[in-house]
């Protein structure tokens, strides 16, 4: 079986572009995971219906349905066709100040609604330079200790995404990714997440995807910018096999 390719479209695309991209991928029989913005979920759901593509959302409210203006609940995401959700993406941890306590509430809500979380972890450049990268990743993974063992097995994946590599064009080297994947995998094994895939994310492009996919312990890729264009996404997916 090939490795996983997950596409995080972030706050990009409009319905026509999303439909075209998703339809092409579906028509090619690909089995990527797509994470479009909220307003694109229904469009992508329709375009990928009956295909092997999987649909996820980029965020979930920590609250159940109710008076929470602007929030999107886990149940609404399920209703829109999502089966997965990103939790802990660095753009939310750092730009939106999302704390571990908030992420834990989001994980609880996602799991209760039957959504499979894709938990993102990764250190900042300052943390790496201070020699704290391993501890940061270990601590971020440790959040799942507050979930039941059964819940931990429901994650669709964990993604190691060094913050300094996201959207910067500066990907982790194979050696850096390999070292952190070793550590994260060992940690996940002790947390009862031995069967949960571990992805790498951070400036993955067609010209570095092959090298990163070849790293031992990399079960797939979480791709942002390069997932917005059919050709680059196809190339990365072809490399994933
Ligand atoms: C991401 O959004 O998770 C990501 C890795 O982005 P990019 O590929 O653009 O660095």
């Amino acid at each position: 079986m090939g490795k996983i390719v997950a596409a995080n479209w972030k706050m990009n695309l409009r319905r026509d572009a999303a439909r075209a991209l998703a339809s092409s991928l579906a028509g090619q029989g690909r089995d990527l995971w797509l994470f479009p913005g909220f307003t694109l979920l229904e469009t992508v759901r329709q375009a990928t219906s009956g295909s092997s593509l999987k649909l996820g959302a980029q965020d979930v409210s920590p609250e159940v349905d109710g008076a929470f203006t602007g929030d999107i609940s886990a149940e609404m995401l399920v209703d829109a066709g999502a089966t997965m959700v990103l939790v802990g993406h660095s753009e939310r941890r750092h730009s939106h100040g999302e704390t571990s306590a908030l992420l834990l509430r989001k994980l609880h809500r996602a799991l209760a609604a039957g959504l499979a979380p894709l938990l993102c972890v990764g250190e900042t450049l300052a943390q790496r330079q201070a020699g704290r990268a391993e501890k940061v990743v270990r601590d971020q993974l440790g959040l799942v200790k507050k979930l039941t063992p059964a819940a931990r097995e429901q994650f669709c994946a964990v993604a190691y995404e060094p913050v300094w590599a996201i959207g910067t064009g500066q990907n982790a080297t194979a050696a850096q990714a390999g070292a952190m994947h070793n550590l994260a995998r060992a940690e996940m094994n002790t947390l009862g997440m031995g069967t949960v895939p571990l992805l790498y994310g951070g400036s993955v492009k067609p010209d570095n995807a092959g090298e990163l996919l070849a790293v031992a312990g990399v079960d797939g890729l979480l791709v942002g910018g390069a997932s917005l264009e059919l050709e680059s996404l196809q190339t990365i997916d072809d490399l994933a096999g």
Side-chain angles (χ1 to χ4, degrees):
M1 213 185 94
K3 297 195 174 186
I4 294 161
V5 176
N8 175 14
W9 289 350
K10 313 195 188 199
M11 197 169 70
N12 292 297
L13 304 181
R14 301 292 181 267
R15 284 181 298 162
D16 283 353
R19 187 181 300 110
L21 195 44
S23 304
S24 301
L25 296 166
Q28 293 168 6
R30 296 184 184 269
D31 55 5
L32 298 114
W33 299 358
L34 303 181
F35 293 85
F38 293 134
T39 61
L40 303 175
L41 281 169
E42 172 60 13
T43 301
V44 175
R45 187 193 64 76
Q46 283 182 19
T48 59
S49 166
S51 78
S52 313
L53 295 160
K54 289 178 70 178
L55 184 59
Q58 297 174 13
D59 187 30
V60 60
S61 170
E63 306 288 351
V64 289
D65 288 342
F68 300 99
T69 303
D71 276 10
I72 306 287
S73 72
E75 285 73 14
M76 292 166 84
L77 296 177
V78 171
D79 187 46
T83 59
M84 308 173 289
V85 65
L86 300 181
V87 176
H89 191 283
S90 71
E91 285 156 14
R92 298 208 62 88
R93 286 183 196 259
H94 299 290
S95 311
H96 294 255
E98 295 197 356
T99 61
S100 315
L102 178 63
L103 297 181
L104 185 62
R105 292 174 60 213
K106 291 186 175 202
L107 288 173
H108 277 301
R109 288 299 310 129
L111 290 159
L115 287 169
L118 195 168
L119 178 66
C120 302
V121 299
E123 80 286 358
T124 64
L125 186 58
Q127 289 165 335
R128 176 165 280 262
Q129 286 171 341
R132 296 182 49 228
E134 286 80 7
K135 180 174 173 3
V136 168
V137 169
R138 227 183 257 118
D139 287 351
Q140 289 176 348
L141 286 171
L143 187 64
V144 306
K145 288 180 193 158
K146 304 208 166 97
L147 302 172
T148 64
R152 297 177 209 174
E153 291 177 354
Q154 286 171 42
F155 284 57
C156 61
V158 167
Y160 167 58
E161 299 203 295
V163 179
W164 46 271
I166 297 180
T168 59
Q170 190 201 339
N171 61 283
T173 63
Q176 288 170 325
M180 198 59 92
H181 274 248
N182 269 342
L183 174 139
R185 172 52 71 197
E187 199 67 19
M188 286 167 68
N189 287 345
T190 66
L191 291 166
M193 298 176 86
T195 59
V196 174
L198 177 57
L199 315 183
Y200 167 80
S203 293
V204 173
K205 307 281 179 235
D207 61 0
N208 61 21
E211 192 189 0
L212 290 161
L213 283 162
V215 173
V218 170
D219 301 318
L221 301 171
L222 178 54
V223 187
S227 72
L228 295 169
E229 284 183 8
L230 182 60
E231 208 176 308
S232 60
L233 190 50
Q234 280 173 179
T235 306
I236 293 169
D237 192 43
D238 288 344
L239 290 165

